[in-house]
Amino acid sequence: MTHNRRDFLLATLAASTVGALPGLAIAATSNPADANFSTLLTDIAEEILRLSPTSATGLGLDKDARAGLKSQLEDQSKAGDEAWAAEVKSIHARLRTIDRKALSAESQTLYDSVAYAAESGIAGLRFPFGGAASGFYGGTAPFPVTQQDGALTRIPEFLDSQHQIANAADAEAYLERVAALARMMDQETARIAEQAGQGIAPPDFICRTALAQLQDFRKTAAAEQKLVSSITERTQKQNIAGDWHGRALKLVEGSVYPALERQIAAFDKASAKATNVAGVHRLPDGAAYYEWALRLGTSTTRSAKAIHAIGLEQNQQLQSRIDAILKKQGITNGTVGQRLLALSKDPQRFYADNNKGREELIAYCNDRVQAVRKLMPQISRLDLKVPLLIKRVPTDIEAGAPLGYMNFASLDGSRPAIYYINLKSTTLWPKSEIATLTAHEGLPGHAWQGAYLAEHHEKLPLISSLIGFNAFIEGWALYAEQLVDEFGLYANDPFSQIGYLQAQQFRACRLVVDTGMHAMQWTREQAIRFLVENTGRGQQAMTSEIDRYSVSPGQACGYKVGHNEILRQRERAKAALGGKFDLAGFNDALVTSCGVPLTVLPTVIDRYIAAQRGKQQKA
């Protein structure tokens, strides 16, 4: 996933499939209502970019009239919160001035998606640790700094991998952002202290990891920090005159490090009263908060109890399929989880836990990408190029980072999609699970989703690149894992097929442990034990996962809930179209749908079915 996921995504329609489904390039319509709606969406997109300057950079939009955004970071202060609150309220009010019934069907879908995001953000205003922006970014983060959240875990890598430096002005903007990093950290520190005064803090096990990361960052000599080395190396390579090294060094030593020291002190003080309770049920109004987080994470109104039951049922179903394959391999002793756990302890199933092994692992990821590229003409007719870079998660944040995640390509083509894999230890990744991870993060998963936007952005509403619905995004990536299995990637590789089914089963188990911790008062240890015993994955990896869910309530439920709904819609389309059902066309309808909430997805498939029937009648 997308921890970044703010980091966030999606699209409408390629010219190559215009015959199959009308596109969402609504600016070109002759419908006056659509034209007015398009103007409103353009205004909203510009407003969101001003509130989220790093999104402008990530999408390659920080130039020309938006060039001023290149030197800015997000405002994490109360004023920043108030600006987002005002924005979502304003979006909601302006949408109500549009006559939805007068819009084209495609515009109605986009209207419903933007309205859902705004309404979700407004609902989050009820909670002091909610957030109006969450409705557009599709995820919750109740604490300003954790092992995976906060300026220090995000901005240094962002500046290195996404902030482009082509001239002195770009380098100056980089330095301004380094200075802004110090201000952002102080804003987070003020929030940490404010929450502590209300008795709110991350769980103590999160505090220990996050505090260690902050302290380790401070222990590193400023000259060795990526914040300094990145601008130094890039300006030297391009012969951009100036003392960029010295100025960056001065900023880190004189501004960033003092802000970091203040944050360490405040975080240390706040964590002194932290408890070991993993679930957000302990927070003020925690039950209602989690209900909102589930709605945000799944874009459904399913209760925690219902989601928990789905997870238990699908876990059993997937274990039965794994059991059958294990038995064919002569592996019969113990429960499915015990047999998988025994396999996970076989050193031959892993690359060597050293730099050479890490290089070999990334090379294998690239090999799997190439293997899937050969399958893509059967999976989709969008004919996307999808440039993709596979990188190790930066070592200074890997202890608390997700096991894998994606940063989408810039819209201007200046930067490819980046698929990050956590290689703190290669034992996090058995060889048999790497192909499935690569299908999820790369092709035909997240990288394919993002590539549609990047390669067709001139025809699409910009708002499509600025909103993301977690269950759709992650549901597609999970469905992508299934597609490569259906098209034979594991035909002669039973252990990789087990890895694929184990990944699906793992997502079913996420439904159980996320609801278990946050709604049913499971302990961290109980949740870790459930994952290890049922999925057969290692203790270290599952501990990292549970820690992630404890600070991102509801997000982990989006994967399987989204996958289930996509499969339900596929079966509905098959039943409606019979022998005329076209799998590649169905897949393309999903990718070109603008990344809708699950509540809106049936209308997308209704249009696909109607378009296919129209083609049949013409034939």
Side-chain angles (χ1 to χ4, degrees):
M1 146 187 291
T2 151
H3 168 62
N4 247 356
R5 265 224 129 338
R6 351 180 235 264
D7 310 291
F8 307 65
L9 344 94
L10 301 145
T12 54
L13 178 66
S16 61
T17 60
V18 166
L21 181 69
L24 282 171
I26 58 176
T29 185
S30 59
N31 181 346
D34 279 8
N36 290 336
F37 181 49
S38 177
T39 299
L40 173 59
L41 291 183
T42 298
D43 291 343
I44 291 171
E46 294 299 330
E47 291 157 10
I48 291 174
L49 286 175
R50 287 196 292 272
L51 290 170
S52 183
T54 61
S55 293
T57 294
L59 293 170
L61 300 175
D62 57 354
K63 57 189 68 172
D64 301 325
R66 306 186 191 99
L69 298 176
K70 190 158 189 172
S71 60
Q72 300 173 29
L73 297 178
E74 283 71 29
D75 184 351
Q76 304 287 65
S77 70
K78 279 192 173 183
D81 285 351
E82 290 167 359
W84 260 111
E87 179 65 21
V88 294
K89 290 176 182 178
S90 173
I91 291 170
H92 188 254
R94 283 179 286 170
L95 284 174
R96 294 176 67 181
T97 68
I98 301 290
D99 182 0
R100 182 187 177 280
K101 293 180 180 179
L103 298 174
S104 64
E106 297 80 10
S107 294
Q108 286 181 357
T109 297
L110 193 49
Y111 179 102
D112 292 343
S113 297
V114 177
Y116 190 97
E119 289 163 6
S120 296
I122 291 170
L125 296 177
R126 167 179 172 179
F127 311 103
F129 34 78
S134 298
F136 285 83
Y137 292 155
T140 55
F143 313 109
V145 175
T146 69
Q147 85 285 13
Q148 65 180 31
D149 299 305
L152 210 61
T153 62
R154 187 166 71 92
I155 300 304
E157 175 62 17
F158 160 79
L159 285 173
D160 182 54
S161 64
Q162 298 188 45
H163 182 108
Q164 302 296 309
I165 297 179
N167 51 47
D170 293 342
E172 290 288 354
Y174 180 106
L175 292 180
E176 288 186 54
R177 277 179 158 164
V178 174
L181 170 60
R183 293 193 295 273
M184 180 183 274
M185 292 174 67
D186 278 335
Q187 290 166 353
E188 292 173 343
T189 298
R191 192 178 298 266
I192 290 168
E194 180 184 15
Q195 286 194 348
Q198 300 167 345
I200 299 171
D204 58 7
F205 51 87
I206 296 297
C207 290
R208 287 192 292 270
T209 302
L211 190 57
Q213 288 176 179
L214 297 175
Q215 291 168 336
D216 286 345
F217 194 100
R218 180 60 186 89
K219 290 174 185 174
T220 303
E224 297 174 13
Q225 291 288 4
K226 186 182 297 180
L227 287 168
V228 176
S229 62
S230 179
I231 189 172
T232 302
E233 292 166 5
R234 289 192 281 166
T235 51
Q236 287 178 349
K237 186 176 181 180
Q238 298 183 72
N239 295 315
I240 300 173
D243 184 18
W244 307 110
H245 174 84
R247 292 174 65 191
L249 189 67
K250 184 177 180 181
L251 279 172
V252 172
E253 291 178 336
S255 298
V256 174
Y257 275 178
L260 175 55
E261 289 164 1
R262 290 189 289 272
Q263 187 163 103
I264 289 171
F267 198 88
D268 188 35
K269 182 179 179 181
S271 65
K273 295 183 179 179
T275 72
N276 65 355
V277 179
V280 294
H281 59 81
R282 75 185 189 281
L283 298 176
D285 209 9
Y289 175 68
Y290 184 56
E291 186 177 299
W292 172 74
L294 271 183
R295 180 172 181 255
L296 201 63
T298 68
S299 56
T300 72
T301 56
R302 289 191 181 94
S303 68
K305 183 178 179 181
I307 290 172
H308 192 86
I310 292 168
L312 289 170
E313 179 184 4
Q314 295 197 337
N315 176 39
Q316 291 300 316
Q317 293 170 353
L318 288 157
Q319 280 194 346
S320 296
R321 293 180 63 186
I322 295 169
D323 181 42
I325 301 173
L326 287 170
K327 285 177 177 175
K328 284 185 179 179
Q329 303 306 310
I331 303 171
T332 59
N333 294 329
T335 66
V336 169
Q338 287 169 341
R339 280 175 277 167
L340 291 173
L341 191 59
L343 284 174
S344 75
K345 294 178 180 177
D346 179 359
Q348 294 186 5
R349 298 186 72 235
F350 299 90
Y351 288 96
D353 200 10
N354 53 36
N355 287 337
K356 184 174 184 295
R358 292 182 177 92
E359 291 173 4
E360 291 173 346
L361 191 154
I362 289 177
Y364 182 62
C365 290
N366 281 299
D367 174 81
R368 293 298 81 196
V369 168
Q370 294 308 312
V372 174
R373 284 191 189 277
K374 296 175 183 177
L375 299 176
M376 288 311 301
Q378 302 173 71
I379 293 173
S380 169
R381 286 193 292 277
L382 293 178
D383 193 28
L384 304 175
K385 296 179 178 63
V386 200
L388 177 62
L389 176 64
I390 303 175
K391 292 178 66 173
R392 177 184 181 180
V393 171
T395 56
D396 54 354
I397 64 171
E398 64 186 2
L403 296 181
Y405 56 93
M406 164 63 60
N407 278 347
F408 289 96
S410 63
L411 297 184
D412 64 353
S414 62
R415 179 183 55 76
I418 305 175
Y419 151 27
Y420 289 92
I421 182 167
N422 195 325
L423 298 179
K424 184 175 188 295
S425 169
T426 59
T427 61
L428 293 170
W429 288 113
K431 296 176 184 178
S432 60
E433 297 178 18
I434 293 172
T436 290
L437 175 74
T438 302
H440 183 102
E441 302 293 351
L443 300 180
H446 289 321
W448 190 261
Q449 288 174 310
Y452 181 76
L453 279 182
E455 296 176 33
H456 296 277
H457 69 278
E458 293 180 354
K459 303 174 183 176
L460 304 174
L462 178 56
I463 192 69
S464 300
S465 297
L466 298 177
I467 58 175
F469 299 98
N470 180 63
F472 180 92
I473 295 163
E474 299 300 352
W476 165 265
L478 205 51
Y479 175 61
E481 297 176 18
Q482 178 173 329
L483 285 172
V484 299
D485 176 59
E486 290 176 339
F487 281 94
L489 189 66
Y490 310 129
N492 301 307
D493 188 356
F495 285 100
S496 284
Q497 187 170 48
I498 289 171
Y500 149 66
L501 291 171
Q502 192 179 5
Q504 296 275 321
Q505 180 219 3
F506 170 48
R507 271 45 166 264
C509 289
R510 279 178 168 174
L511 302 182
V512 178
V513 296
D514 196 271
T515 55
M517 285 192 297
H518 296 299
M520 301 169 188
Q521 303 193 18
W522 281 26
T523 65
R524 179 198 192 207
E525 292 70 26
Q526 185 178 357
I528 293 169
R529 185 168 62 251
F530 181 89
L531 286 187
V532 171
E533 290 178 354
N534 281 273
T535 69
R537 294 186 175 212
Q539 183 90 8
Q540 181 183 9
M542 294 304 92
T543 299
S544 174
E545 286 292 307
I546 290 300
D547 288 358
R548 168 186 162 191
Y549 313 153
S550 72
V551 296
S552 298
Q555 191 271 338
C557 294
Y559 296 70
K560 201 70 183 71
V561 171
H563 178 225
N564 291 344
E565 182 60 20
I566 286 172
L567 292 181
R568 191 177 77 83
Q569 294 299 327
R570 188 168 83 167
E571 290 307 306
R572 185 168 74 89
K574 281 183 177 180
L577 296 170
K580 300 297 184 180
F581 174 77
D582 170 30
L583 179 58
F586 173 83
N587 295 339
D588 291 346
L590 290 172
V591 171
T592 64
S593 71
C594 255
V596 297
L598 296 188
T599 53
V600 178
L601 184 57
T603 63
V604 173
I605 304 309
D606 287 343
R607 288 209 315 276
Y608 162 72
I609 292 170
Q612 290 298 103
R613 284 174 171 164
K615 288 174 63 179
Q616 293 170 23
Q617 291 171 359
K618 290 179 181 179

